[in-house]
Amino acid sequence: MPNVTSFYLSRVIGNKVFSEEKKVVGRLLDLVVDASYIRPKVIAAKVKSGGQTQIVDFSFFIIYKEKGQYVIETRNLKPIDVKKEDTIMLVRHILDKQIVDMNGRKVVRVNDIRLAVLSTGVYVIAVDIGLEGLLRRLGLAKPLKKVLKPLGKNIPSRLILWDDVQPLASPRLDLKLSTTYSKLATLHPSDLADIIEELDKKTQAYIFSTLDEEKAADVLEELEVEAQRNVLESLPVEKAADVLEKMPADEVADILDEIKEERAEELLNSMEKEASEEVKELMEYPENSVGAIMTTDFISFKTHFTVEQTIEELRRLKPEPDEIYYLYVVDNDERLCGVVSLRDLVISEPQTPLYEIMNRDVVCVKDTDNVNSLVEIISKYSLLAVPVVNESKKLIGVVIINDIVYELLKMKRKLLL
């Protein structure tokens, strides 16, 4: 009875299960693993026996080789309850399903699963996403290897360690694994968005619903319009509204413009009043106007603020990088008076008031101006952001260069359609 140190799932699934007396007691249909382990441990087997299918304790099983074939033997077909957190059925939930290659940051298909036999049990160690895994299941891998060997050729093999993969299937509709999407949450929002876009609508919505609100908001901004629409129309209204509240108002306005009007209204009504009204104001601007793409998330300081007070306020607010390209200075009526660069702020004496170091010659646009006017301004003055004022010269928003480029690309796509 040669010891088996590792084996592929495809080599044992469908095989007969024998008793210690070498009598056939059933046929192996699936293996159930506990995913709470670093490498999932096999805890149960799905076996068809006597015309019935049952889940039995795997601790009574041994797997060995005899005449080149894998033999599955059990001392007892003892039923076991596996309706607990962190259990996955390898055939049902992993084999032939999509997973995320965390290193390659892409969605791949599982063709086979490799397991290791240790003194403490049987564990999943890797998934095979290569051609060899597919051929192995068809029984063609060994014959083809023999043909290719004299030619010095090999069948492409692609194994990914379990540590580097993230399953995407929901094991049970009534159960959410505590470890299911922990790895995905470590990805950059743009990488995670790319992955979500490759999935079917149901899986897109399921994965998105597991993200915390901050992460979900970052990912939603990065998704393509079609994926954004699907996610927002699939999520519960309360969850979707909570995510939208974490996003800049201009981004929310753009997204809601792309979904059904009834759904957009429903989401706006579920958002906090202040956030909702801010988005509604932006949505009222005509398409291709500056107001339609400006962000209302900006930082401004009163003219009498000192350098020291300004720096303390920045430390307290902890603004996003694109919110401090420039520091805008306003009077008591919120009218734009000047702009201060971070360099000028850092090199000035702490007690210097902003009105002494600000640049009063501020390039700005009105909220009713056409978007095209921004292109000339940013190229002529090499600006990263442009302040937006209303008819009363009151500072009401900022347009950053990223939004300008995105808007121009969107306009170009529409012209090509």
Side-chain angles (χ1 to χ4, degrees):
M1 185 189 301
N3 290 330
V4 173
T5 56
S6 67
F7 61 92
Y8 284 100
L9 183 67
S10 62
R11 301 298 300 274
V12 297
I13 292 299
N15 288 9
K16 295 175 181 177
V17 178
F18 294 90
S19 66
E20 290 181 300
E21 293 76 29
K22 308 303 179 188
K23 292 182 180 180
V24 177
V25 293
R27 189 175 294 275
L28 182 65
L29 302 180
D30 208 339
L31 293 177
V32 183
V33 299
D34 184 345
S36 64
Y37 288 80
I38 296 176
R39 291 170 185 80
K41 180 180 181 180
V42 180
I43 58 171
K46 184 179 180 181
V47 176
K48 187 171 184 179
S49 177
Q52 293 185 332
T53 300
Q54 54 184 330
I55 306 295
V56 297
D57 193 338
F58 190 77
S59 63
F60 296 104
F61 281 63
I62 58 170
I63 297 176
Y64 59 91
K65 265 190 171 184
E66 189 173 272
K67 297 180 181 179
Q69 299 298 315
Y70 286 92
V71 178
I72 307 168
E73 190 176 293
T74 182
R75 303 193 312 274
N76 189 353
L77 289 178
K78 180 183 177 182
I80 184 175
D81 181 14
V82 294
K83 290 183 179 180
K84 63 176 185 176
E85 290 187 357
D86 301 318
T87 56
I88 300 176
M89 301 183 79
L90 295 183
V91 174
R92 182 178 177 184
H93 301 129
I94 304 296
L95 197 63
D96 292 326
K97 300 298 188 297
Q98 292 176 314
I99 61 168
V100 175
D101 173 359
M102 297 296 291
N103 284 335
R105 288 168 169 73
K106 60 183 179 181
V107 178
V108 293
R109 180 180 180 273
V110 177
N111 294 327
D112 210 345
I113 301 171
R114 191 163 183 82
L115 299 99
V117 181
L118 306 176
S119 60
T120 53
V122 177
Y123 300 85
V124 175
I125 56 172
V127 296
D128 191 335
I129 63 169
L131 177 61
E132 185 178 0
L134 207 54
L135 294 174
R136 188 185 305 113
R137 291 169 62 185
L138 297 172
L140 300 175
K142 282 189 176 181
L144 194 55
K145 279 184 178 179
K146 289 180 181 179
V147 173
L148 294 175
K149 190 174 182 179
L151 303 175
K153 302 290 184 180
N154 291 311
I155 303 173
S157 179
R158 284 283 316 276
L159 284 178
I160 303 178
L161 293 177
W162 184 264
D163 308 46
D164 298 325
V165 305
Q166 175 68 72
L168 293 176
S170 169
R172 293 204 298 273
L173 294 177
D174 62 334
L175 177 65
K176 185 174 77 175
L177 300 185
S178 62
T179 59
T180 303
Y181 300 113
S182 57
K183 294 178 186 176
L184 287 182
T186 65
L187 290 176
H188 188 279
S190 60
D191 289 328
L192 186 47
D194 288 341
I195 288 168
I196 290 176
E197 286 165 3
E198 293 183 51
L199 306 172
D200 61 85
K201 290 182 178 181
K202 184 178 179 181
T203 310
Q204 281 181 349
Y206 186 82
I207 289 180
F208 198 85
S209 68
T210 66
L211 301 174
D212 64 58
E213 291 169 9
E214 295 285 353
K215 188 75 171 185
D218 291 338
V219 173
L220 189 60
E221 286 186 52
E222 301 290 341
L223 288 175
E224 292 293 334
V225 173
E226 186 178 349
Q228 287 178 335
R229 187 186 300 121
N230 174 60
V231 165
L232 287 180
E233 292 179 354
S234 302
L235 286 177
V237 175
E238 294 76 13
K239 169 75 174 180
D242 288 342
V243 171
L244 293 176
E245 287 170 3
K246 299 291 183 181
M247 298 172 61
D250 61 315
E251 295 284 352
V252 177
D254 288 342
I255 292 172
L256 295 185
D257 274 335
E258 300 291 343
I259 67 175
K260 294 177 182 177
E261 189 175 338
E262 298 81 7
R263 181 65 170 180
E265 191 65 31
E266 192 177 12
L267 290 170
L268 284 169
N269 291 335
S270 298
M271 292 171 64
E272 290 182 3
K273 186 177 180 181
E274 185 178 348
S276 177
E277 288 178 352
E278 197 173 342
V279 173
K280 287 177 181 178
E281 286 179 13
L282 293 176
M283 293 178 72
E284 289 174 0
Y285 280 103
E287 190 176 9
N288 299 332
S289 69
V290 170
I293 67 168
M294 72 178 180
T295 176
T296 52
D297 292 331
F298 63 90
I299 300 174
S300 63
F301 300 92
K302 293 293 192 291
T303 54
H304 64 269
F305 260 48
T306 64
V307 167
E308 185 177 32
Q309 288 174 321
T310 304
I311 292 176
E312 286 178 359
E313 184 67 3
L314 287 173
R315 286 174 179 154
R316 185 185 69 81
L317 294 173
K318 297 179 176 58
E320 295 295 324
D322 56 12
E323 292 179 346
I324 52 172
Y325 286 143
Y326 311 104
L327 304 179
Y328 299 107
V329 185
V330 297
D331 62 19
N332 290 332
D333 294 320
E334 302 297 330
R335 288 191 296 255
L336 182 62
C337 299
V339 62
V340 176
S341 68
L342 283 177
R343 176 188 175 278
D344 289 340
L345 194 70
V346 171
I347 66 174
S348 299
E349 292 298 322
Q351 298 308 314
T352 305
L354 293 182
Y355 65 79
E356 288 188 11
I357 61 172
M358 71 182 185
N359 180 0
R360 299 174 188 273
D361 186 17
V362 188
V363 177
C364 63
V365 292
K366 290 182 180 179
D367 56 338
T368 53
D369 289 347
N370 192 283
V371 170
N372 291 326
S373 64
L374 289 166
V375 180
E376 183 180 348
I377 290 174
I378 62 172
S379 58
K380 182 178 180 179
Y381 298 101
S382 301
L383 298 174
L384 296 173
V386 181
V388 182
V389 298
N390 60 15
E391 289 292 337
S392 305
K393 299 293 184 181
K394 181 180 177 180
L395 181 63
I396 58 173
V398 174
V399 178
I400 60 174
I401 191 170
N402 296 17
D403 291 331
I404 299 171
V405 173
Y406 174 76
E407 188 65 22
L408 292 174
L409 289 173
K410 191 165 71 172
M411 290 166 63
K412 184 178 179 181
R413 282 198 298 267
K414 287 182 178 180
L415 290 173
L416 293 175
L417 292 177

